[in-house]
Amino acid sequence: MPGRSTSSSGSGSTGFISFSGVESALSSLKNFQSCISSGMDTASSVALDLVETQTEVSSEYSMDKAMVEFAMMDRELNHYLKAVQSTINHVKEERSEKIPDLKLLVEKKFLALQNKNSDADFQNNEKFVQFKQQLKELKKQCWKRQARERYLNLVAYFDKG
């Protein structure tokens, strides 16, 4: 049976589960976190460029939605990683002769974590918070620049007359 190995000792056989395949898969998933982070960086950069070039608000809104999607993926991936790691640790500690249904245990832990989700979770996502702050600051700067340009245009207009 894959993942199951037995060793003999003087008192009989004892079963154990090898988690090397699962841990390798977890390592690959952890690498995917950097892809999510890169996606958030790109979406943030595009959104800031849109604000700076005074592009339509709907485009900025699309970038905001993209950031929310990335934050949701990040949260879901973190929950899945926690569920798998927690399950592995539990099974290792338990050392049961009976091999548990790992998929079912992970699914239960994952669903328990997902059920605790709230929109406030995004306030804890560093990249999402940073994006919102940068967007707010850039908008302020753009509005000040626009107001100054309008003022200078008015002054120039009245100076001509």
Side-chain angles (χ1 to χ4, degrees):
M1 174 178 244
R4 177 147 175 102
S5 179
T6 56
S7 62
S8 294
S9 65
S11 61
S13 64
T14 308
F16 70 91
I17 301 171
S18 171
F19 291 104
S20 62
V22 174
E23 288 167 348
S24 175
L26 276 179
S27 178
S28 294
L29 283 175
K30 288 177 184 175
N31 289 334
F32 187 68
Q33 287 177 311
S34 67
C35 295
I36 292 173
S37 179
S38 293
M40 290 182 95
D41 290 341
T42 301
S44 179
S45 178
V46 168
L48 296 174
D49 286 347
L50 291 173
V51 169
E52 202 166 9
T53 60
Q54 301 169 7
T55 306
E56 292 179 40
V57 174
S58 63
S59 298
E60 178 192 326
Y61 175 72
S62 295
M63 291 298 99
D64 193 63
K65 281 177 42 178
M67 288 297 287
V68 169
E69 289 292 322
F70 278 119
M72 288 171 58
M73 279 191 288
D74 188 53
R75 175 179 65 189
E76 194 167 314
L77 181 56
N78 283 325
H79 284 171
Y80 188 75
L81 292 170
K82 284 179 189 174
V84 172
Q85 196 60 58
S86 173
T87 301
I88 289 171
N89 292 341
H90 175 75
V91 171
K92 283 180 179 178
E93 289 172 10
E94 196 175 86
R95 296 180 187 237
S96 173
E97 283 293 315
K98 181 182 172 199
I99 298 176
D101 184 345
L102 295 175
K103 182 179 177 186
L104 181 64
L105 291 174
V106 168
E107 285 174 356
K108 283 182 180 179
K109 290 184 189 289
F110 177 70
L111 286 174
L113 289 169
Q114 290 291 89
N115 286 334
K116 294 178 186 176
N117 287 348
S118 74
D119 289 342
D121 294 343
F122 300 125
Q123 305 309 317
N124 299 326
N125 185 296
E126 184 181 328
K127 294 239 182 217
F128 187 76
V129 170
Q130 182 182 9
F131 164 72
K132 288 303 223 177
Q133 289 172 342
Q134 287 177 328
L135 197 59
K136 184 179 176 181
E137 283 302 312
L138 187 58
K139 282 182 180 180
K140 253 194 255 184
Q141 291 172 10
C142 288
W143 288 330
K144 285 179 184 177
R145 186 173 45 226
Q146 286 174 352
R148 179 169 169 71
E149 287 172 7
R150 287 183 185 134
Y151 171 77
L152 292 174
N153 287 339
L154 281 173
V155 168
Y157 176 79
F158 285 113
D159 281 347
K160 288 180 187 177

